[in-house]
C-alpha cells in the first residue's frame, strides 16, 4: 500500500481574520451566492503542551464567500473559554476529549493535590459543526455548551449552556431541521431516576426584527425521554434519524462507563478512555412519533454495529427506510490520536489504516405497524426489491437485518463517510443521490456520488489531494434532485499553501472550477452553506 504521511493535515493553522482573494481556475457558476462555512480542529499545542487526540484541537472556523463567480477566504479561531484560558497561560489548562490539563505548576503542592479532585467543567471548544437554531448560527461540539457566531465575520458571540433551557447535559452537533423551521436534536440527562436520551425540539424563529441580537433558545422542550436499556452503561451517539413523521434513536454498543466517568472526572483522566465497544449488547432502535413525542412500545433490535452519520430516512407504505454509514467495530473513535495520524509513510501508516474499520452505507427497514396480530418469525418487509428484513421475534420485539447499500466497487475506495444529500428538498423523503468522502486513507482521499437505486458510483480522486465533506447546493429553480453543485475544501499536503475550494457539477460529478487559497488549512470536520451570507 505504502500510504503517505498525513502530518500536514493535522498541523496548527494560522487565522486569516480579514477576507483575502483567491485564485480561480476554471469557472465558478455566477448563481452561487453565499458562504461555505467549515469547522474543525485547528490548533494542537499551547506553549510546550501538546494535545493527544485529533478531536482535542481548538476550533477553527473557515468561510469561503462566493459571489458573482469570485471567492474570498477568511478564518478565525473560536474564542471559546478553553482557547482564551489556554492562550493566557500559554499551556493547556482545560481538559478535552483525549487530553487532560495538568495542574498549575505555580500552585503549592496542597493546592495541586486538591485541584485533582475538583470536577473539571466540560469544554466549550465547539469544533465539530455549524448548526442553526431560530435563524442564528452556532458552532457545536457534544458537551452542553455551544457558541453563537457571526456567519459573516466569524466573530465569537456568547456561550450558550443547554442546561439553562432544558434538563439535558449534552447535545449532538448533528441536529435535524423540519420544513417549518424547527430544529430537533438529542441530548443526555442522568440523575436519580437513571440515564435518559432526550429528543429536543427548538421552535422556528419568531419575527427577527423585533428581537435583539442575542442567543435565543426559548421555547426549547424535551418531547420524549428514552430510558437507557443498560442504565449503568448508556450508549455513545453522534447523530439520529429523522423522517417526515418519526425520529429514531439508535442505541449502539459503544458504551459509556458511568462509574469510570465519575472516577476519571475526579482523577483527571481523558474522556475517550471511558468508551468501550461491547457487542454483546447488540443494537436497539427506538421509534418515536415526531409530532406527538410518543415512543413505540416495540423494540427493534439488530446485530451489533456502530454509526456516526445518517444519510436519509423516509416512510414508504407502512415502513420506515433508514440509510446510514455503519461499521462493525466501534473501537475506532479512540484511535484518532495525533501520534497515529502523524505516523511515518509506508508500513507504520499502512498498519494504522488497516487496523481501522471500513464504514459502509446500509439500509435498515423498520415495519411501523407491528401489533399483537403481526405474525411471528416471518419477514415483514414487503417493499419491492428490498433485501433488508424484519421479523417479529416476540410480542414487543422485532429483529432486523440490513441491506448493503453498495456493491463491490465501493470497497476499492475504502468505504464512505461524511454523507450528504440534497437536504433542503429531500430529507425525510424518498431520494436517489448521496455525496460522500471515500476513505482510501485514514483521512478522505476521494469524493463519491452514489445512486442509491442502482448503487452506481461517480468518483473524483487525485493522488495527494484530501477533500472534505461534500456539501450540495441546489441551482435556482432546480427541477432534478442533483441539479446543482457540490462544494468541498481540498487540502494539498504535497504543495505548500495551495488548499482550494472545489466546485463540482453535482449531476456529472466533474470539476467546474476551483478557488485556490494561499494558506495552509488543517483537515476539518463538518460544514454548511449559508445562502444569505
Amino acid at each position: 500500500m505504502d500510504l503517505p504521511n498525513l502530518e500536514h493535515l493535522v498541523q496548527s493553522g494560522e487565522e486569516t481574520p480579514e477576507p483575502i482573494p483567491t485564485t480561480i481556475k476554471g469557472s465558478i457558476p455566477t448563481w452561487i451566492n453565499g458562504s461555505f462555512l467549515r469547522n474543525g480542529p485547528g490548533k494542537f499545542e499551547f506553549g510546550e503542551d501538546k494535545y493527544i487526540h485529533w478531536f482535542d484541537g481548538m476550533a477553527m472556523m473557515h468561510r469561503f464567500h462566493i459571489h458573482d463567480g469570485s471567492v474570498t477566504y477568511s478564518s478565525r479561531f473560536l474564542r471559546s473559554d478553553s482557547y482564551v484560558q489556554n492562550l493566557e497561560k500559554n499551556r493547556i489548562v482545560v481538559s478535552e476529549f483525549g487530553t487532560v490539563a495538568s495542574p498549575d505548576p505555580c500552585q503549592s503542592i496542597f493546592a495541586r493535590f486538591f485541584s485533582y479532585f475538583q470536577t473539571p467543567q466540560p469544554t466549550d471548544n465547539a469544533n465539530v459543526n455549524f448548526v442553526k437554531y431560530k435563524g442564528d448560527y452556532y458552532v457545536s461540539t457534544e458537551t452542553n455548551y455551544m457558541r453563537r457566531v457571526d456567519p459573516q465575520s466569524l466573530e465569537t458571540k456568547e456561550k450558550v449552556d443547554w442546561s439553562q433551557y432544558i434538563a439535558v447535559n449534552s447535545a449532538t452537533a448533528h441536529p435535524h431541521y423540519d420544513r417549518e423551521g424547527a430544529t430537533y436534536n438529542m441530548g443526555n440527562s442522568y440523575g436519580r431516576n437513571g440515564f435518559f436520551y432526550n429528543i429536543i425540539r427548538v421552535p422556528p424563529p419568531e419575527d427577527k426584527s423585533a428581537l435583539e441580537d442575542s442567543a435565543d433558545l426559548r421555547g426549547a422542550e424535551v418531547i420524549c425521554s428514552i430510558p437507557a436499556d443498560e442504565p449503568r452503561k448508556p450508549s455513545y451517539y453522534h447523530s439520529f434519524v429523522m423522517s417526515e413523521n418519526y425520529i429514531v434513536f439508535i442505541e449502539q454498543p459503544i458504551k459509556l462507563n458511568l462509574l469510570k466517568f465519575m472516577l476519571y472526572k475526579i482523577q483527571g483522566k481523558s474522556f475517550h478512555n471511558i468508551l468501550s465497544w461491547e457487542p454483546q449488547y447488540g443494537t436497539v432502535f427506538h421509534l418515536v412519533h415526531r409530532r406527538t413525542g410518543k415512543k413505540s412500545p416495540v423494540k427493534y433490535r439488530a446485530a451489533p454495529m456502530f454509526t456516526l452519520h445518517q444519510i436519509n430516512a423516509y416512510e414508504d407504505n407502512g415502513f420506515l427506510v433508514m440509510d446510514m454509514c455503519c461499521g462493525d467495530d466501534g473501537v475506532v473513535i479512540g484511535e484518532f490520536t495525533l501520534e497515529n495520524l502523524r505516523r511515518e509513510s509506508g508500513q507504520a501508516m499502512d498498519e494504522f489504516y488497516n487496523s481501522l474499520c471500513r464504514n459502509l452505507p446500509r439500509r435498515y427497514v423498520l415495519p411501523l405497524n407491528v401489533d399483537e396480530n403481526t405474525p411471528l418469525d416471518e419477514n415483514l418487509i414487503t417493499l419491492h426489491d428490498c433485501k433488508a428484513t424484519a421479523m417479529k421475534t416476540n410480542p414487543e420485539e422485532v429483529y432486523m437485518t440490513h441491506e448493503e447499500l453498495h456493491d463491490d466497487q465501493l470497497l476499492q475506495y475504502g468505504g464512505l463517510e461524511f454523507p450528504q444529500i440534497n437536504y433542503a428538498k429531500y430529507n425525510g423523503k424518498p431520494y436517489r443521490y448521496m455525496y460522500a468522502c471515500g476513505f482510501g486513507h485514514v483521512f478522505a482521499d476521494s469524493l463519491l456520488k452514489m445512486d442509491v437505486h442502482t448503487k452506481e458510483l461517480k468518483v473524483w480522486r487525485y493522488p495527494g489531494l484530501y477533500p472534505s465533506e461534500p456539501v450540495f447546493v441546489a441551482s435556482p429553480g432546480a427541477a432534478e434532485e442533483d441539479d446543482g453543485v457540490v462544494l468541498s475544501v481540498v487540502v494539498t499536503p504535497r504543495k505548500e499553501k495551495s488548499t482550494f475550494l472545489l466546485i463540482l457539477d453535482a449531476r456529472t460529478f466533474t470539476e467546474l472550477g476551483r478557488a485556490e487559497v494561499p494558506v495552509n488549512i488543517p483537515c476539518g470536520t463538518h460544514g454548511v452553506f449559508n445562502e444569505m451570507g
Side-chain angles (χ1 to χ4, degrees):
M1 278 175 77
D2 224 16
L3 292 172
N5 167 277
L6 294 176
E7 187 157 8
H8 287 284
L9 279 69
V10 289
Q11 272 181 343
S12 295
E14 283 177 25
E15 50 182 10
T16 309
E18 294 304 317
I20 57 169
T22 61
T23 307
I24 306 292
K25 303 249 169 95
S27 74
I28 291 179
T30 51
W31 59 259
I32 307 175
N33 187 18
S35 298
F36 186 29
L37 303 172
R38 298 257 319 142
N39 196 353
K43 183 171 172 62
F44 300 101
E45 62 285 309
F46 285 93
E48 299 294 296
D49 291 3
K50 292 178 172 53
Y51 287 113
I52 292 170
H53 202 284
W54 182 54
F55 298 172
D56 301 337
M58 293 288 103
M60 190 175 200
M61 303 174 286
H62 310 267
R63 176 179 184 252
F64 292 85
H65 184 60
I66 310 168
H67 177 67
D68 214 12
S70 71
V71 180
T72 59
Y73 169 78
S74 55
S75 66
R76 283 191 173 196
F77 287 115
L78 179 70
R79 298 307 194 263
S80 60
D81 292 353
S82 303
Y83 177 87
V84 171
Q85 290 168 20
N86 293 337
L87 201 63
E88 270 173 14
K89 292 277 201 312
N90 197 30
R91 60 186 191 86
I92 295 169
V93 295
V94 179
S95 294
E96 299 291 338
F97 174 77
T99 307
V100 179
S102 49
D104 186 344
C106 305
Q107 285 180 330
S108 73
I109 190 144
F110 283 112
R112 280 171 69 181
F113 176 76
F114 284 113
S115 76
Y116 271 118
F117 295 93
Q118 286 163 355
T119 322
Q121 279 294 312
T123 179
D124 65 337
N125 175 33
N127 65 2
V128 179
N129 207 352
F130 275 88
V131 297
K132 221 172 170 181
Y133 294 98
K134 292 194 173 187
D136 282 331
Y137 276 99
Y138 296 81
V139 283
S140 172
T141 173
E142 299 190 318
T143 67
N144 54 318
Y145 294 125
M146 296 189 296
R147 277 280 179 169
R148 197 164 71 95
V149 291
D150 181 323
Q152 258 85 13
S153 66
L154 301 181
E155 195 189 335
T156 303
K157 305 260 194 168
E158 66 270 52
K159 174 166 146 176
V160 176
D161 179 353
W162 274 105
S163 64
Q164 299 299 305
Y165 291 89
I166 42 174
V168 297
N169 37 36
S170 68
T172 83
H174 288 289
H176 274 292
Y177 308 97
D178 70 14
R179 289 183 172 71
E180 292 73 54
T183 306
Y184 293 80
N185 205 341
M186 288 202 61
N188 298 332
S189 61
Y190 48 92
R192 280 198 200 106
N193 301 333
F195 193 103
F196 294 89
Y197 313 108
N198 303 290
I199 300 171
I200 304 160
R201 179 182 183 271
V202 178
E206 295 126 41
D207 180 19
K208 237 350 196 180
S209 57
L211 295 175
E212 67 284 7
D213 178 29
S214 65
D216 176 23
L217 293 181
R218 284 172 308 181
E221 55 177 342
V222 169
I223 60 170
C224 180
S225 289
I226 301 164
D229 219 33
E230 293 288 329
R232 288 199 179 162
K233 285 190 176 174
S235 293
Y236 169 77
Y237 56 97
H238 187 75
S239 65
F240 60 98
V241 177
M242 186 168 103
S243 71
E244 202 67 49
N245 294 296
Y246 295 95
I247 284 174
V248 177
F249 169 64
I250 301 168
E251 198 169 9
Q252 57 190 4
I254 298 182
K255 294 298 187 181
L256 212 65
N257 187 319
L258 283 189
L259 291 173
K260 261 191 188 174
F261 180 57
M262 303 304 178
L263 200 63
Y264 279 19
K265 259 185 143 176
I266 293 169
Q267 292 175 342
K269 285 190 184 171
S270 73
F271 187 67
H272 79 273
N273 290 323
I274 66 165
L275 293 176
S276 57
W277 173 242
E278 304 203 23
Q280 69 272 24
Y281 291 113
T283 307
V284 184
F285 293 73
H286 300 273
L287 176 70
V288 175
H289 200 287
R290 178 160 81 84
R291 301 180 202 283
T292 63
K294 194 168 170 338
K295 181 179 171 311
S296 163
V298 180
K299 262 189 187 155
Y300 297 88
R301 292 189 178 274
M305 62 87 166
F306 85 97
T307 178
L308 292 174
H309 299 117
Q310 310 304 312
I311 303 165
N312 199 2
Y314 60 88
E315 295 146 46
D316 184 355
N317 287 311
F319 298 98
L320 179 56
V321 178
M322 302 176 290
D323 297 345
M324 60 196 81
C325 293
C326 301
D328 287 321
D329 180 2
V331 177
V332 55
I333 296 179
E335 304 299 324
F336 276 70
T337 60
L338 291 162
E339 186 184 4
N340 277 334
L341 297 175
R342 290 171 178 156
R343 285 185 183 202
E344 290 299 313
S345 300
Q347 190 185 350
M349 187 54 90
D350 292 356
E351 279 173 5
F352 176 48
Y353 174 74
N354 289 326
S355 75
L356 298 172
C357 170
R358 301 288 159 265
N359 283 12
L360 296 163
R362 283 181 184 172
R363 172 165 290 178
Y364 289 89
V365 179
L366 190 147
L368 293 167
N369 309 312
V370 176
D371 57 26
E372 63 274 12
N373 301 321
T374 307
L376 285 169
D377 299 330
E378 63 180 68
N379 183 16
L380 304 173
I381 310 300
T382 53
L383 293 177
H384 173 66
D385 224 16
C386 178
K387 297 183 182 70
T389 71
M391 256 182 212
K392 185 172 155 187
T393 49
N394 57 49
E396 290 191 338
E397 273 193 18
V398 169
Y399 190 83
M400 304 190 294
T401 67
H402 62 271
E403 171 181 342
E404 300 290 0
L405 206 57
H406 63 90
D407 52 28
D408 287 352
Q409 189 194 357
L410 178 60
L411 302 177
Q412 73 193 55
Y413 299 103
L416 62 79
E417 252 299 343
F418 293 102
Q420 287 281 334
I421 58 167
N422 178 343
Y423 189 95
K425 285 261 170 68
Y426 288 87
N427 188 58
K429 295 185 169 176
Y431 74 115
R432 183 156 190 179
Y433 301 110
M434 75 153 128
Y435 312 92
C437 288
F439 278 81
H441 202 329
V442 175
F443 279 129
D445 67 345
S446 64
L447 292 170
L448 307 172
K449 175 188 181 182
M450 184 187 275
D451 179 331
V452 297
H453 292 182
T454 65
K455 300 179 181 173
E456 261 171 287
L457 284 180
K458 286 189 164 79
V459 182
W460 184 93
R461 185 188 205 182
Y462 293 91
L465 299 183
Y466 296 89
S468 72
E469 170 187 66
V471 169
F472 175 85
V473 182
S475 54
E480 299 295 321
E481 182 183 338
D482 57 352
D483 264 359
V485 295
V486 166
L487 308 179
S488 174
V489 177
V490 180
V491 181
T492 58
R494 294 182 187 179
K495 209 170 155 203
E496 192 61 13
K497 298 198 169 174
S498 59
T499 306
F500 60 91
L501 171 66
L502 172 69
I503 293 156
L504 297 176
D505 177 320
R507 197 174 55 80
T508 60
F509 221 55
T510 52
E511 180 172 339
L512 295 170
R514 56 176 71 178
E516 294 182 348
V517 186
V519 171
N520 287 333
I521 298 180
C523 213
T525 42
H526 296 287
V528 294
F529 184 72
N530 175 26
E531 284 210 32
M532 298 145 66

